[in-house]
Amino acid sequence: MEPLCFPLFLLLLLFLTRAAIASSSLRLNFYNESCPRAELIVKQVVLGYFLRDPSIPAGLLRLHFHDCFIRGCDASILLDSTDDNVAEKEAPPNLTIRGLDLIDDAKAALEAECPHVVSCADIIALAARDGVALVGGEEYKLPTGRRDGFVSRMADVRLPTPSFSVEAAQAAFERINLTLVDLTTLLGAHSIGFCHCVFFIGRLYNFKNTGFADPRINPTILEFLQQKCPPQVITFDNVTRDPKLFMNPESNSSSSFGNSFYRGVLEQKVLLGLDQDLAFTDLTEKLVVRYVEDRSLFMSQFSASMVRLGNVGVLAGTEGEVRLNCSKTNNSTVVIDTELN
């Protein structure tokens, strides 16, 4: 393998150093004494769901990302709304979240094995890791010890959208102490799963209000995408009825994880505008090329970025709680946080 270009090497070195520092509040094998079979139980539940629905790993990755990006990895996305608070899961980007039943089943199995020990936040992180392993990724070593939060507000949900530029997405990632390497690497999760037309239909018919398709879409797939996604007005109100395609159109699979996404980026065959922009920004384009050339580099960096994502804003020690039911706090009231953002 050729040596990485010097600036990219420095960025990767910084990335690894930060990862080591961020993980200090968590540790490997956290439940070895308190619940020795905890990770095995989660893995068995994930496998059971995977055998019925091979696309569930993509849903678990998205669930983990949406949880960590708002208030940190504290399972706030699992909390239900109350009479005086609308929770995160009601926000438009979260209406198509999947995997909630899986998390509930894993929690029930863990409560039967070792009551009030394993947090819902750790279950999300472990399930995402196990899902990746089932579709060809690494079963990376994941520090645990997260605690569950009390606060969940729809108003706090501000996620990078498919229409973000790389620069805007990078700024959003940096606000939670993730890097451009993390951004480029975690988008590799788009090699699996499905995507609703609503998230990219603007690229097919009226790109940036031009009245034409995005010229960066490879003509060999544009007609196919337009056939699958007719130009009717689609909103989040009917997104469950919106057509969906394989996230990686060339793969004809929702469950084959790897570096094929980056080949699609270079060939201009990806669905989302943000994904395609990776080919047109200097540093991200260099990293995309490296991932196409070296699958093992992508796999190892994806694992490292997932560990970093799982370290974002964690509660540990005596912070937060270990919920008995993942959809509500132990006092059955979601705390309304009045902290100014």
Side-chain angles (χ1 to χ4, degrees), residues 147-165:
R147 304 263 290 180
D148 300 323
F150 300 113
V151 179
S152 181
R153 301 189 309 175
M154 184 177 74
D156 292 335
V157 178
R158 302 182 187 91
L159 294 159
T161 71
S163 62
F164 268 34
S165 66

Side-chain angles (χ1 to χ4, degrees), residues 46-59 98 131 134-135 192-194 253-256:
V46 173
L47 176 59
Y49 271 76
F50 175 74
L51 293 175
R52 297 191 296 273
D53 177 9
S55 73
I56 194 62
R98 297 189 300 136
L134 285 171
V135 292
I192 60 174
F194 296 97
S253 172
S254 64
S255 57
S256 180

Side-chain angles (χ1 to χ4, degrees), residues 29 31-32 35-53 56-57 60 102-110 113 118-119 122-135 137-142 144:
N29 305 312
Y31 297 108
N32 264 10
C35 192
R37 297 179 65 247
E39 295 196 20
L40 176 61
I41 289 171
V42 174
K43 185 181 299 184
Q44 290 172 335
V45 173
V46 173
L47 176 59
Y49 271 76
F50 175 74
L51 293 175
R52 297 191 296 273
D53 177 9
I56 194 62
L60 294 172
L102 184 156
I103 302 301
D104 285 343
D105 286 351
K107 180 61 173 174
L110 287 163
E113 176 87 6
V118 182
S119 69
D122 272 342
I123 295 172
I124 295 175
L126 289 167
R129 188 271 308 272
D130 295 338
V132 168
L134 285 171
V135 292
E138 294 181 346
E139 188 175 352
Y140 49 87
K141 294 181 179 180
L142 181 67
T144 45

Side-chain angles (χ1 to χ4, degrees), residues 39-331:
E39 295 196 20
L40 176 61
I41 289 171
V42 174
K43 185 181 299 184
Q44 290 172 335
V45 173
V46 173
L47 176 59
Y49 271 76
F50 175 74
L51 293 175
R52 297 191 296 273
D53 177 9
S55 73
I56 194 62
L60 294 172
L61 281 170
R62 187 165 179 250
L63 177 65
H64 187 36
F65 178 80
H66 282 218
D67 180 47
C68 294
F69 215 90
I70 306 307
R71 305 190 65 89
C73 307
D74 66 348
S76 55
I77 196 169
L78 302 180
L79 289 172
D80 287 338
S81 297
T82 62
D83 291 341
D84 56 359
N85 180 68
V86 182
E88 289 175 27
K89 64 170 62 170
E90 307 297 332
N94 291 334
L95 295 179
T96 53
I97 283 293
R98 297 189 300 136
L100 301 180
D101 290 344
L102 184 156
I103 302 301
D104 285 343
D105 286 351
K107 180 61 173 174
L110 287 163
E111 286 299 309
E113 176 87 6
C114 37
H116 206 189
V117 172
V118 182
S119 69
C120 302
D122 272 342
I123 295 172
I124 295 175
L126 289 167
R129 188 271 308 272
D130 295 338
V132 168
L134 285 171
V135 292
E138 294 181 346
E139 188 175 352
Y140 49 87
K141 294 181 179 180
L142 181 67
T144 45
R146 298 166 188 80
R147 304 263 290 180
D148 300 323
F150 300 113
V151 179
S152 181
R153 301 189 309 175
M154 184 177 74
D156 292 335
V157 178
R158 302 182 187 91
L159 294 159
T161 71
S163 62
F164 268 34
S165 66
V166 170
E167 293 76 16
Q170 179 183 359
F173 268 61
E174 288 177 346
R175 283 195 289 272
I176 60 171
N177 295 318
L178 297 181
T179 68
L180 187 59
V181 171
D182 295 314
L183 167 63
T184 307
T185 305
L186 292 174
L187 285 176
H190 290 170
S191 62
I192 60 174
F194 296 97
C195 185
H196 285 275
C197 294
V198 66
F199 293 110
F200 60 91
I201 198 165
R203 298 187 69 209
L204 304 183
Y205 301 101
N206 190 26
F207 180 62
K208 295 185 176 179
N209 295 317
T210 61
F212 299 97
D214 185 344
R216 302 171 304 170
I217 299 177
N218 191 310
T220 63
I221 68 163
L222 177 58
E223 184 178 355
F224 166 77
L225 295 178
Q226 289 175 331
Q227 289 174 349
K228 294 293 185 180
C229 300
Q232 288 91 345
V233 175
I234 303 295
T235 70
F236 280 105
D237 293 335
N238 66 352
V239 71
T240 56
R241 299 190 299 274
D242 181 36
K244 61 183 181 181
L245 284 72
F246 290 123
M247 196 74 200
N248 187 355
E250 293 283 288
S251 71
N252 289 319
S253 172
S254 64
S255 57
S256 180
F257 182 79
N259 62 346
S260 60
F261 163 78
Y262 298 101
R263 189 172 297 106
V265 170
L266 296 180
E267 295 176 356
Q268 300 182 356
K269 294 181 178 180
V270 291
L271 299 182
L272 304 182
L274 173 58
D275 294 349
Q276 190 57 72
D277 282 347
L278 295 177
F280 297 97
T281 304
D282 184 56
L283 184 59
T284 60
E285 190 269 342
K286 287 183 173 66
L287 192 53
V288 165
V289 170
R290 295 311 305 269
Y291 285 165
V292 170
E293 295 173 343
D294 189 345
R295 185 177 186 274
S296 64
L297 174 64
F298 164 65
M299 291 295 193
S300 62
Q301 284 297 140
F302 186 85
S303 296
S305 287
M306 285 297 293
V307 172
R308 279 175 52 77
L309 173 65
N311 289 332
V312 170
V314 296
L315 304 174
T318 59
E319 299 174 309
E321 66 179 1
V322 175
R323 289 182 210 144
L324 300 175
N325 181 326
C326 289
S327 64
K328 58 184 180 181
T329 59
N330 290 341
N331 65 5

